[in-house]
């Protein structure tokens, strides 16, 4: 077994991850003769509930600020609170006055799940928190509330990158976060395969994630670490945008050298195809669209026939670990050549707003086709020799490419916005999707812009190290450094 442990950091990350877990839950089959193509043991852990019954909950740790969990409680129907609910007097013998906040009323959607009745249609107005559309139970150890900051506070906003970095140091000094929160899940694994991080990179959670990943890398050595780095895609005032760009620069400079996969995710891109209808003011709707792409492109990591997803991300030399995420929903049927060469044309680019140019050099691409049967057209399968394929492409000066196909379509659940894909013909089995992770020279162009922002906005003490660090990363995404040409062999 090759398990993946997930860490969710912050409100926007939890919106995305909630959609992700809802989709995973939909893959479960309850007919003993029917086996799901998805290996649930990759992301879910077996356990025993309070009544002795068997449970199956996500291998995840969920962090959020005070007030961010909505109606979600640490203990649920599977793990009822068994501790003494009457606190001891301790050393205080005086009269106690207990003050409690008014509980948040449960949403109609959650109430219907508890009662087993037909779920009402969700809307942007009825979804107040990410827990309002959550369909799965979590282990009590998964829920970690950080009480130092409050969600959407105007007095102490959780926006500055350094604030998140300081908060991690303070909490880790007090509790040893990895030992308390991650290790119990990791030690349950037969063979821990990867650690998956959902986090925003343009606010304080970026600093928190950077220091968290430092500790993960020290603790788990050569285990694969994937960072899904969420960025605010909304247009904002110039000074506020500079602050966000500075936070992004710090995140990519600190985190990308430590991880095996770093994917910037615009929440959401300004340019979207006409067949999508997205309420940009709704985190629920934006994250639903984003999760559709993230869940689809990572699907091979949990499909039973595939075992080399990490190898395909490494490319030819392992230099390129920053990828852009590109997607087309309900694409036309592809020809036999579509999965034998990199694809440039997609309906949505979730990472960069800049259009693809004819001069853009692609170093590596991982393609995933959903709703498509595997073919014997040179694409990757469980029987192919991935090393031999990589050597042939390198020898022929071609971009690295791996293609995966699965007949499993993207399910459209009742926890999804019903109008999101209104422009696409509905299918009872879900939607066809083609999505890709692409490493190209466009990343170098984006880092160049971040360098310019860092040079203007950072203090003298930070500026030189930041600009230099970004420059070293940028070099890997410029032609002549790792383009598959003969010049690379001389480096």
């Amino acid at each position: 077994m090759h398990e993946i442990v997930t860490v969710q950091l912050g409100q926007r990350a939890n919106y995305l991850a909630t959609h992700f877990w809802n989709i995973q839950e939909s893959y479960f089959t309850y007919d003993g003769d029917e086996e799901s193509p998805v290996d649930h043991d990759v992301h879910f852990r077996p356990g025993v509930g309070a009544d002795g019954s068997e449970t199956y909950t996500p291998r995840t740790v969920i962090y959020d600020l005070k007030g961010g969990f909505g109606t979600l409680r640490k203990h649920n129907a599977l793990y009822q609170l068994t501790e003494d609910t009457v606190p001891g007097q301790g050393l205080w013998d005086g009269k106690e006055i207990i003050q409690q906040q008014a509980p948040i009323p449960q949403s109609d959607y959650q109430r219907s799940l508890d009662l087993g009745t037909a779920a009402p249609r969700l809307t942007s107005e009825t979804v107040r928190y990410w827990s309002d559309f959550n369909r799965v139970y979590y282990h009590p150890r998964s829920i970690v509330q950080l009480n130092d900051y409050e969600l959407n506070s105007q007095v102490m906003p959780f926006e500055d990158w350094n604030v998140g970095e300081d908060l991690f140091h303070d909490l880790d000094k007090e509790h040893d976060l990895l030992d308390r929160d991650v290790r119990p899940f990791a030690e349950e694994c037969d063979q821990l395969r990867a650690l998956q991080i959902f986090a925003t990179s343009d606010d304080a959670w970026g600093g928190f994630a950077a220091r968290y990943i430092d500790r993960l890398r020290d603790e788990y050595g050569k285990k694969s670490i994937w960072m899904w780095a969420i960025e605010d895609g909304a247009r904002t005032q110039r000074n506020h945008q500079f602050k966000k760009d500075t936070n992004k620069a710090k995140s990519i400079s600190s985190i990308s050298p430590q991880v095996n996969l770093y994917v910037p995710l615009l929440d959401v891109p300004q340019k979207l195809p006409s067949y999508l209808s997205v309420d940009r003011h709704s985190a629920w709707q934006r994250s639903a669209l984003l999760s559709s792409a993230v869940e689809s492109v990572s699907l091979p990591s949990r499909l039973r026939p595939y075992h080399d997803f990490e190898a395909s991300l490494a490319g030819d030399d392992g230099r390129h670990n920053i990828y852009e995420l590109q997607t087309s929903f309900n694409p036309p049927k592809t020809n036999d050549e579509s999965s034998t060469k990199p694809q440039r044309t997609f309906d949505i680019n979730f990472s960069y707003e800049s259009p693809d140019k004819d001069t853009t050099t692609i170093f590596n691409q991982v393609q995933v086709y959903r709703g498509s049967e595997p073919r014997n057209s040179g694409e990757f399968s469980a029987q192919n020799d991935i090393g031999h394929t990589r050597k042939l492409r390198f020898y022929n000066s071609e971009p690295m490419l791996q293609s995966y196909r699965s007949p499993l379509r993207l399910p459209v659940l009742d926890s999804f916005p019903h109008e999101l894909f209104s422009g696409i013909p509905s299918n009872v089995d879900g939607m066809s999707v083609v999505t890709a992770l692409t490493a190209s020279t466009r990343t170098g162009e984006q880092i160049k812009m971040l360098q310019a922002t860092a040079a203007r906005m950072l203090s003298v003490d930070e500026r030189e190290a930041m600009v230099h660090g970004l420059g070293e990363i940028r070099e890997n995404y410029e032609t002549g450094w790792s383009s598959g040409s003969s010049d690379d062999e001389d480096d």
Side-chain angles (χ1 to χ4, degrees):
M1 196 186 303
H2 301 275
E3 299 91 347
I4 297 174
V5 173
T6 300
V7 177
Q8 306 169 206
L9 302 176
Q11 187 76 179
R12 280 188 286 166
N14 290 332
Y15 266 93
L16 171 58
T18 300
H19 283 297
F20 177 87
W21 293 120
N22 287 350
I23 295 175
Q24 304 316 305
E25 188 264 348
S26 73
Y27 296 143
F28 279 87
T29 56
Y30 301 97
D31 184 345
D33 298 328
E34 182 184 1
E35 183 181 59
S36 171
V38 172
D39 183 355
H40 305 300
D41 291 330
V42 171
H43 281 294
F44 283 75
R45 55 174 296 279
V48 179
D51 61 354
S53 61
E54 293 184 357
T55 64
Y56 221 45
T57 54
R59 302 180 190 277
T60 190
V61 184
I62 307 171
Y63 293 88
D64 215 330
L65 304 181
K66 183 179 179 181
F69 287 91
T71 60
L72 187 69
R73 297 293 177 257
K74 193 176 185 71
H75 295 81
N76 51 56
L78 294 183
Y79 296 91
Q80 295 291 348
L81 183 63
T82 56
E83 301 171 359
D84 184 4
T85 56
V86 180
Q89 289 287 319
L91 298 178
W92 174 250
D93 294 327
K95 184 178 180 181
E96 291 183 347
I97 300 176
I98 300 176
Q99 294 182 338
Q100 292 181 332
Q101 289 183 325
I104 300 171
Q106 192 178 39
S107 69
D108 291 339
Y109 183 82
Q110 288 296 322
R111 193 176 298 111
S112 71
L113 294 179
D114 291 344
L115 297 175
T117 58
R121 178 172 286 184
L122 290 167
T123 66
S124 297
E125 290 72 32
T126 58
V127 176
R128 306 154 299 171
Y129 305 91
W130 53 265
S131 57
D132 285 342
F133 62 94
N134 169 62
R135 295 181 57 89
V136 302
Y137 287 116
Y138 299 99
H139 191 280
R141 286 201 307 260
S142 290
I143 309 301
V144 184
Q145 179 171 284
L146 306 183
N147 294 314
D148 302 70
Y149 290 84
E150 192 165 355
L151 184 67
N152 299 325
S153 171
Q154 300 298 316
V155 179
M156 295 176 60
F158 200 60
E159 295 178 351
D160 188 82
W161 199 90
N162 294 333
V163 168
E165 185 179 40
D166 292 341
L167 177 60
F168 177 84
H169 285 313
D170 293 343
L171 295 175
D172 194 49
K173 187 184 300 181
E174 183 178 354
H175 300 291
D176 191 337
L177 295 184
L178 262 65
D179 191 58
R180 184 192 70 180
D181 300 335
V182 176
R183 191 182 301 279
F185 290 99
E187 289 184 345
E188 291 174 341
C189 300
D190 292 338
Q191 186 175 345
L192 179 63
R193 171 185 183 182
L195 295 142
Q196 174 177 243
I197 316 296
F198 292 110
T200 43
S201 62
D202 58 358
D203 58 12
W205 285 111
F208 193 93
R211 301 291 76 86
Y212 207 112
I213 290 171
D214 284 346
R215 292 275 281 109
L216 288 175
R217 181 53 72 202
D218 289 341
E219 183 71 21
Y220 295 102
K222 296 183 178 180
K223 297 297 182 184
S224 188
I225 301 178
W226 306 342
M227 172 70 173
W228 304 98
I230 306 167
E231 304 172 0
D232 189 355
R235 293 189 174 98
T236 185
Q237 294 181 346
R238 185 180 180 87
N239 61 335
H240 195 55
Q241 188 61 51
F242 276 143
K243 183 175 183 178
K244 285 184 173 294
D245 288 343
T246 301
N247 288 338
K248 282 169 19 182
K250 290 181 178 181
S251 291
I252 202 168
S253 176
S254 298
I255 297 174
S256 67
Q258 294 277 61
V259 298
N260 304 83
L261 173 68
Y262 187 99
V263 184
L265 299 174
L266 289 171
D267 178 26
V268 288
Q270 290 297 317
K271 296 179 181 179
L272 293 174
S274 59
Y275 59 73
L276 293 176
S277 178
V278 182
D279 179 358
R280 294 181 179 273
H281 299 291
S282 169
W284 168 59
Q285 291 208 19
R286 298 195 313 268
S287 58
L289 176 61
L290 198 55
S291 71
S292 300
V294 171
E295 200 278 330
S296 293
V297 83
S298 62
L299 182 63
S301 67
R302 48 192 169 272
L303 288 177
R304 296 183 189 278
Y306 300 125
H307 304 287
D308 292 305
F309 185 66
E310 289 85 351
S312 63
L313 293 173
D316 57 342
D317 57 9
R319 284 184 178 181
H320 305 116
N321 65 334
I322 303 176
Y323 284 80
E324 55 188 300
L325 176 61
Q326 302 159 300
T327 305
S328 293
F329 294 98
N330 204 35
K333 288 187 177 181
T334 55
N335 57 39
D336 288 342
E337 293 184 357
S338 62
S339 58
T340 60
K341 59 183 179 181
Q343 184 171 333
R344 290 181 177 271
T345 305
F346 293 87
D347 292 345
I348 313 170
N349 191 317
F350 283 100
S351 297
Y352 308 138
E353 296 282 10
S354 60
D356 191 11
K357 305 174 185 176
D358 292 338
T359 56
T360 298
T361 299
I362 293 177
F363 303 116
N364 188 21
Q365 187 175 86
V366 179
Q367 303 172 346
V368 180
Y369 296 83
R370 301 191 70 161
S372 176
E373 294 290 345
R375 297 194 191 106
N376 294 319
S377 58
E379 63 192 10
F380 176 75
S381 69
Q383 288 76 35
N384 289 136
D385 184 342
I386 191 171
H388 179 67
T389 303
R390 185 182 296 124
K391 289 177 182 177
L392 282 177
R393 288 192 173 275
F394 185 80
Y395 179 78
N396 294 325
S397 299
E398 298 174 345
M400 295 297 106
L401 173 68
Q402 297 298 331
S403 295
Y404 300 85
R405 289 183 183 271
S406 172
L408 184 64
R409 296 174 182 267
L410 174 69
V412 181
L413 311 176
D414 59 15
S415 58
F416 260 51
H418 70 277
E419 69 275 17
L420 182 62
F421 301 109
S422 58
I424 301 177
S426 59
N427 186 304
V428 68
D429 297 327
M431 289 191 306
S432 297
V433 182
V434 57
T435 187
L437 291 170
T438 305
S440 73
T441 51
R442 190 153 38 179
T443 293
E445 297 168 2
Q446 297 296 317
I447 294 177
K448 183 178 180 180
M449 291 189 287
L450 290 177
Q451 279 183 288
T453 300
R456 290 196 302 269
M457 302 300 295
L458 292 177
S459 64
V460 176
D461 295 338
E462 292 182 289
R463 185 185 308 153
E464 184 176 353
M466 178 66 64
V467 172
H468 177 71
L470 290 172
E472 289 186 338
I473 297 170
R474 173 185 164 192
E475 289 173 351
N476 291 325
Y477 300 88
E478 295 176 337
T479 52
W481 285 88
S482 183
S483 60
S485 66
S486 58
D487 294 337
D488 297 314
E489 300 176 88
D490 298 329
D491 290 345

